[in-house]
Amino acid sequence: MTVPSPHAIGAILLTVAMFYGFVSGRARVEIISLLTISAIALGLYSFPLPGQAPTDGLKLAFEGFGHYALITICALMVLGRGLVTTGALEPASRLLTRVWRVNHQLGLLITLLLAMGMSMMVNDTPVLVLLLPVMAAIAANGGMAASKTLIPVNSAVLIGGMATTIGTSTNLLVVSIAGDMGLPPIGVFHFTPIVLMAAVVALPFIWLVMPRLLPDNSLAAGHEPRRFAATLRLSGTSPARDMDIDQLKSRLPELVEVRGPVAGGRLAVSATHAALEEAIRVLGATAAPAWLMERLKSGYGKTGEDLTVVELSIPRDSGLIGKGVTNANLAELYNVAILGVHDARRMWHGDRPVNAEPQAEPMFGEGDIILATGAMSDLQKLARSENLLVLEGAKELPRTAKAPLALAIMAGAVVPASIGIVPIAISALAGAIAMFVTGCVRFDRIGRALSAKVIVLVAASIAIGRIILDSGAAEWLSGLIAIGLQFLPAAGVLAAVMLFVTVLTNFASNTTAAAVGTPIAFSLAQKLGIPVEPLVLAVLFGCNLCYATPVAYQTNMLIMSAGDYKFGDYTKTGLPLVALMIVTLSGLLVFRYGLY
């Protein structure tokens, strides 16, 4: 083994320092990423690589911000945001709820399959964000405890995201770095069959074994969901107008309590926010006067401002105390609609809700919580004028009329790239522009679609990958690894590379692991005489096997609080899954590329 050059030593030390920064958690990921880019820029400006000018180092450090991989990732974020804001994925969540009512085991299986399927086309995080409230509602309705389902669902999402080049930003990063190094282009579904076969092997463990390894934290999961008293106005064509109470209960979600028969086209209910939305959809109703909802929607069409649902708490000095829903006149004063009011103890008069009849409605009191909808600017004006407190958890209403359009745009971006007509960078960018032009995603809300953390992390990862390659660090490290791997069969080499990257991704950043592992895979291929493509795929797969720690991926952190998980819950379920996937994927790669 030759001694590494000073630049190679510096690249290795900088990579180790970045790993330590990510693992320690002492600074934000964005800060560490920017410091890494700055260190590369200053280091190469002061001590250029042999044969290069100082300005070449600056170009290397900052080229990640203009790299086509980052542009593609940002475009896919916008496409995913379009599916979320239009509610295009919500029919899938409603299907899950119906299946779970039939059978819990069947419901979990369908959920896992759906999670895998959706995450193949949409980034993992929005898919999990969509499924989180669904799983919480299922648990509240007597299904499996959320603590027994969230880790399995998250694992399914991660496996699905591994199956296509657009499933995660990490996949795109690996493919892009490999392409820059000379690997022929890899299509969207190039390695999908390998991952699907591995998923078939892993699915029984995720479905049947994982829930048994996890605790039942339902008692510690939190408080009872807040319920709101509301009146549903049924449309003239709603079938619910002719239903009795038993028929209504059979159609409505379990968390909806019917407070009396339909009278005058109105139905009094008590429900959680999510259950109230589902009841409105099922019955073809509105929770506020239909004319008011139409006015709000037409106002959205003119201003482009999203309709938002918020919870407003009434403090002691609010101007609403002593007023009722009708005589408060909030619709005319602030252009907002009241959908329901908590608390049921005060909000009901016999079997009549607060807004059934003006003479029957009680007055607002201290501590009551209003569920209201309107433009966010109008809701904030209401809160300021009436001295109300806006609670956390504001939710924008999906633009459901544009859902088919958003799905068509997503298909138009993915299909041409998947069959090789255009590169994914071009089709994804065109799709993102179409999302803006059609109003599926508002340009002034682009900050909600894009993640600054992901942008600087990807840029830093591209820079790290380049410096490791150009400095000779990748060649030196691959030579060191090759000494231990030269006597192993191809399956052992692929498994070792996958395990190496898996360890990095579970304790640091999967994007950084991708940036480090991809150049090493190229050097190993040359030293061991193995085709480079299976080694690159081993790196890609290893970067996605982030099941064993809560810090391995952002979706792992998202479920930690909702499931009341401990660190050990991830290792207990994640380590067996990692081992199973490494053995299966390495074997499939050997078979696929004939490395016997």
Side-chain angles (χ1 to χ4, degrees):
M1 284 292 295
T2 59
V3 177
S5 68
H7 285 98
I9 293 174
I12 294 171
L13 292 177
L14 179 60
T15 303
V16 171
M18 184 169 64
F19 279 160
Y20 175 76
F22 288 142
V23 173
S24 65
R26 295 182 179 179
R28 295 172 58 181
V29 170
E30 302 93 311
I31 301 300
I32 297 171
S33 300
L34 290 173
L35 287 174
T36 301
I37 294 172
S38 300
I40 294 174
L42 293 174
L44 293 182
Y45 186 81
S46 303
F47 305 98
L49 290 168
Q52 292 190 358
T55 53
D56 293 333
L58 295 178
K59 179 181 178 182
L60 185 151
F62 295 111
E63 70 178 357
F65 287 105
H67 198 278
Y68 73 91
L70 181 57
I71 303 301
T72 305
I73 289 167
C74 292
L76 289 171
M77 288 180 185
V78 173
L79 287 169
R81 177 67 181 173
L83 295 181
V84 172
T85 57
T86 59
L89 300 178
E90 289 189 359
S93 66
R94 291 197 291 267
L95 171 65
L96 285 182
T97 304
R98 290 197 294 268
V99 173
W100 273 84
R101 289 180 181 177
V102 176
N103 181 274
H104 290 172
Q105 287 296 335
L106 177 62
L108 180 58
L109 176 61
I110 298 299
T111 302
L112 297 176
L113 294 174
L114 190 61
M116 287 183 185
M118 289 194 298
S119 60
M120 289 173 63
M121 293 292 102
V122 183
N123 192 270
D124 293 349
T125 303
V127 172
L128 188 67
V129 168
L130 174 74
L131 292 176
L132 263 175
V134 177
M135 303 314 296
I138 288 170
N141 285 332
M144 287 187 187
S147 59
K148 287 187 171 293
T149 60
L150 290 181
I151 281 183
V153 169
N154 181 57
S155 300
V157 168
L158 294 174
I159 291 176
M162 186 198 308
T164 63
T165 57
I166 64 172
T168 69
S169 57
T170 308
N171 297 0
L172 272 171
L173 183 60
V174 172
V175 171
S176 300
I177 294 175
D180 291 343
M181 298 176 69
L183 187 71
I186 294 179
V188 174
F189 299 105
H190 183 76
F191 49 84
T192 301
I194 298 174
V195 178
L196 291 182
M197 285 186 281
V200 171
V201 175
L203 186 60
F205 175 78
I206 298 173
W207 176 34
L208 301 174
V209 179
M210 262 193 179
R212 298 177 184 273
L213 298 177
L214 292 167
D216 185 346
N217 295 335
S218 55
L219 296 179
H223 58 272
E224 184 76 13
R226 187 178 291 123
R227 302 180 70 88
F228 296 89
T231 296
L232 301 183
R233 280 85 168 172
L234 305 177
S235 66
T237 58
S238 173
R241 283 177 168 266
D242 300 321
M243 293 182 183
D244 57 30
I245 292 181
D246 291 335
Q247 291 174 315
L248 288 169
K249 289 180 177 179
S250 66
R251 291 282 303 274
L252 293 172
E254 293 182 21
L255 289 179
V256 176
E257 180 182 354
V258 179
R259 292 299 188 101
V262 177
R266 296 187 176 193
L267 177 66
V269 299
S270 172
T272 63
H273 179 192
L276 183 61
E277 288 184 346
E278 179 67 7
I280 291 172
R281 187 193 68 82
V282 169
L283 300 182
T286 61
W291 62 265
L292 176 56
M293 296 304 300
E294 286 298 322
R295 189 173 77 181
L296 294 179
K297 291 177 182 178
S298 64
Y300 158 73
K302 295 175 183 177
T303 66
E305 189 172 358
D306 289 312
L307 292 182
T308 305
V309 179
V310 299
E311 295 181 8
L312 303 167
S313 177
I314 302 179
R316 179 176 301 177
D317 55 350
S318 171
L320 289 184
I321 291 181
K323 297 180 181 179
V325 173
T326 302
N327 60 27
N329 203 24
L330 302 183
E332 296 303 324
L333 292 175
Y334 306 106
N335 200 35
V336 301
I338 296 180
L339 306 179
V341 183
H342 175 87
D343 138 341
R345 176 182 54 83
R346 182 161 40 232
M347 288 299 100
W348 291 88
H349 182 78
D351 283 335
R352 304 169 75 90
V354 296
N355 44 3
E357 297 291 345
Q359 65 269 24
E361 63 178 18
M363 302 296 104
F364 289 124
E366 178 187 352
D368 289 350
I369 296 174
I370 299 172
L371 187 68
T373 186
M376 196 60 197
S377 57
D378 292 330
L379 292 167
Q380 291 172 338
K381 180 181 177 182
L382 165 64
R384 288 193 303 268
S385 301
E386 303 293 348
N387 196 24
L388 305 175
L389 302 177
V390 181
L391 304 183
E392 293 185 0
K395 178 183 177 182
E396 291 182 355
L397 293 179
R399 306 164 205 163
T400 52
K402 295 182 180 292
L405 183 59
L407 286 171
I409 292 173
M410 187 68 178
V414 172
V415 173
S418 66
I419 59 180
I421 296 178
V422 293
I424 184 62
I426 299 300
S427 62
L429 186 59
I433 294 172
M435 286 287 187
F436 290 131
V437 171
T438 58
C440 294
V441 176
R442 289 177 53 195
F443 194 78
D444 60 348
R445 297 293 182 91
I446 192 173
R448 298 191 179 190
L450 303 180
S451 168
K453 179 171 69 174
V454 171
I455 291 173
V456 295
L457 180 58
V458 170
S461 300
I462 291 172
I464 276 286
R466 279 292 310 277
I467 190 63
I468 285 176
L469 180 66
D470 293 358
S471 68
E475 184 177 358
W476 184 82
L477 287 170
S478 65
L480 187 65
I481 296 173
I483 293 175
L485 300 183
Q486 59 183 329
F487 302 109
L488 292 178
V493 173
L494 293 170
V497 170
M498 208 178 301
L499 178 61
F500 169 70
V501 178
T502 299
V503 171
L504 293 182
T505 200
N506 274 278
F507 289 97
S509 159
N510 50 5
T511 52
T512 309
V516 173
T518 307
I520 291 177
F522 268 80
S523 295
L524 273 176
Q526 296 174 354
K527 287 181 170 57
L528 298 177
I530 297 175
V532 68
E533 186 171 303
L535 281 170
V536 168
L537 291 182
V539 171
L540 186 149
F541 295 154
C543 290
N544 284 278
L545 302 182
C546 42
Y547 318 118
T549 67
V551 298
Y553 195 62
Q554 55 191 351
T555 57
N556 297 18
M557 297 297 295
L558 280 174
I559 63 173
M560 193 170 192
S561 175
D564 194 29
Y565 291 125
K566 297 179 174 59
F567 194 98
D569 295 326
Y570 291 87
T571 57
K572 183 165 54 176
T573 57
L575 287 178
L577 183 58
V578 165
L580 181 63
M581 292 295 286
I582 288 178
V583 171
T584 305
L585 288 169
S586 57
L588 289 170
L589 285 173
V590 168
F591 178 78
R592 167 67 175 79
Y593 291 93
L595 304 175
Y596 305 110

